[in-house]
Amino acid sequence: MKLKIGIVGYNLVGKRHYMELRRSDKFEVCGVFDRENRDDACRAPFFDDFKEFIENAQPQAVVLCLPQHEMIEAFCQCVKYCQNILISRPIFKSVSELKEIKYAAGVNKARVCTGVDERFNPTVFSLKKALLREEEIYSISIAHFKPLCEGNIINELSLCDIDLAKNLAGSEICDFFYTQTNKTNKRLSDNVGISLKMKNQILVNITDSFCGSLERFKIEVNAKDGVYFGDLIDYKLHRVSENGQMNLKTDSLNNEIKAQYEAFYDLCQSGESSELSNIDDAIKIKELF
């Protein structure tokens, strides 16, 4: 049986989630709440009053697709009425905001996960399967360039890239160093370099940038049996070893949001999911900075 899910916030992120959910065989969009944005092409009922949204739509799960400054208030309202909440991206101003969400979730016995959909990228999924067969992993390098993007680069890119590195390494961080520069933006940093050492001795280097003209999201993993090169935008993965290059299969049809909602459905049904990022994961990474 499909679960009734409501979307809070119908910006570009909310529309992206709606387009995926309307094709889902696990969720039914029962309503969309947004005080300003509307879309006549959306077939789900629209609400500009939160009380009416809760009473009429009666969602069993909610996805929050809101900007940072609206997230805390919306979460504290939703958690009173719904026990299954997906936060579309873990973009928060401070650790205290995340701890406030953790407290509210605990008081209301809610299941809350943060949408680090990079974990569900088809290239990452195939890479994790390949690395399970590796005897040793030595280092991980991530290059993530998103030109002409606004906002805090730490929140927009780095937090999720660190989560991805932790997820691939299967370990917590023991050493952390980062530096940032302002090349095109006088107010906010637009380039970040991050160096990590994991507790299992895997070294990680991350380069994030809002500069340039080319969007790029690449990953390189140096392991005992070869070096893996992944493209997280074009969904490509290959391994280079002493025997040459081997192209590895990726399932580009199973996109990040679709796979994430499959894991979220399991969380709603069973109360557990090891695949999803949770509030504690986000707090640990945010505290690094």
Side-chain angles (χ1 to χ4, degrees):
M1 180 181 292
K2 288 186 176 183
L3 286 178
K4 295 169 63 177
I5 188 168
I7 300 174
V8 177
Y10 202 67
N11 48 26
L12 290 175
V13 177
K15 291 178 181 179
R16 187 179 170 210
H17 280 260
Y18 169 73
M19 291 304 293
E20 188 57 51
L21 285 167
R22 67 189 291 264
R23 298 189 293 265
S24 174
D25 59 357
K26 292 183 168 62
F27 291 98
E28 173 191 353
V29 181
C30 60
V32 178
F33 168 71
D34 197 301
R35 291 191 176 94
E36 298 177 0
N37 301 313
R38 296 188 71 86
D39 185 358
D40 293 335
C42 177
R43 297 181 181 179
F46 259 87
F47 300 90
D48 56 14
D49 182 275
F50 184 77
K51 186 177 180 181
E52 289 182 6
F53 166 69
I54 292 296
E55 291 179 352
N56 296 333
Q58 297 184 344
Q60 297 168 288
V62 169
V63 53
L64 301 180
C65 303
L66 294 164
Q68 172 186 298
H69 64 280
E70 298 179 28
M71 191 67 76
I72 291 289
E73 181 183 354
F75 179 88
C76 290
Q77 287 297 316
C78 288
V79 78
K80 298 175 185 176
Y81 305 99
C82 186
Q83 288 191 312
N84 303 300
I85 300 177
L86 169 62
I87 298 171
S88 60
R89 295 293 279 180
I91 299 176
F92 293 92
K93 185 177 180 180
S94 63
V95 174
S96 62
E97 289 186 344
L98 283 163
K99 290 184 176 179
E100 184 178 345
I101 281 182
K102 180 180 178 180
Y103 175 77
V107 168
N108 292 277
K109 299 180 180 179
R111 308 179 185 100
V112 182
C113 58
T114 53
V116 184
D117 52 29
E118 286 85 349
R119 289 188 178 199
F120 301 93
N121 184 284
T123 301
V124 172
F125 183 78
S126 296
L127 177 59
K128 288 173 69 175
K129 283 182 66 176
L131 293 178
L132 288 175
R133 298 189 291 269
E134 286 288 348
E135 185 179 333
E136 193 79 41
I137 300 172
Y138 305 117
S139 64
I140 299 171
S141 296
I142 296 173
H144 197 173
F145 307 153
K146 203 168 182 179
L148 306 177
C149 188
E150 292 293 330
N152 185 313
I153 192 170
I154 299 294
N155 281 344
E156 297 290 339
L157 298 185
S158 302
L159 296 180
C160 292
D161 290 345
I162 291 172
D163 179 89
L164 175 59
K166 286 179 58 180
N167 194 248
L168 286 170
S171 179
E172 294 295 328
I173 297 166
C174 63
D175 285 329
F176 173 81
F177 173 80
Y178 82 104
T179 185
Q180 49 191 335
T181 62
N182 299 60
K183 300 290 288 185
T184 61
N185 190 325
K186 292 182 179 180
R187 294 187 305 107
L188 299 171
S189 297
D190 49 20
N191 286 276
V192 178
I194 301 169
S195 296
L196 312 170
K197 186 171 83 170
M198 317 305 287
K199 288 184 178 180
N200 59 6
Q201 301 301 300
I202 295 175
L203 297 177
V204 178
N205 284 298
I206 300 172
T207 303
D208 292 328
S209 178
F210 283 164
C211 303
S213 58
L214 180 67
E215 184 172 5
R216 186 168 178 255
F217 197 0
K218 305 277 189 178
I219 190 164
E220 180 180 317
V221 180
N222 183 28
K224 186 171 183 179
D225 291 335
V227 182
Y228 295 83
F229 297 90
D231 187 324
L232 279 69
I233 295 177
D234 292 332
Y235 302 147
K236 294 179 180 178
L237 178 67
H238 64 269
R239 185 186 71 185
V240 176
S241 67
E242 58 183 10
N243 297 321
Q245 178 175 312
M246 176 184 292
N247 294 325
L248 303 178
K249 184 179 179 181
T250 59
D251 183 7
S252 59
L253 295 177
N254 194 27
N255 66 62
E256 294 96 321
I257 294 184
K258 179 181 178 181
Q260 181 174 251
Y261 274 112
E262 289 176 358
F264 183 51
Y265 181 83
D266 292 339
L267 175 69
C268 296
Q269 296 289 67
S270 67
E272 296 181 359
S273 176
S274 60
E275 299 177 24
L276 291 162
S277 172
N278 57 43
I279 296 298
D280 285 330
D281 292 328
I283 288 173
K284 287 179 183 178
I285 295 174
K286 189 72 174 175
E287 284 180 334
L288 294 171
F289 295 93

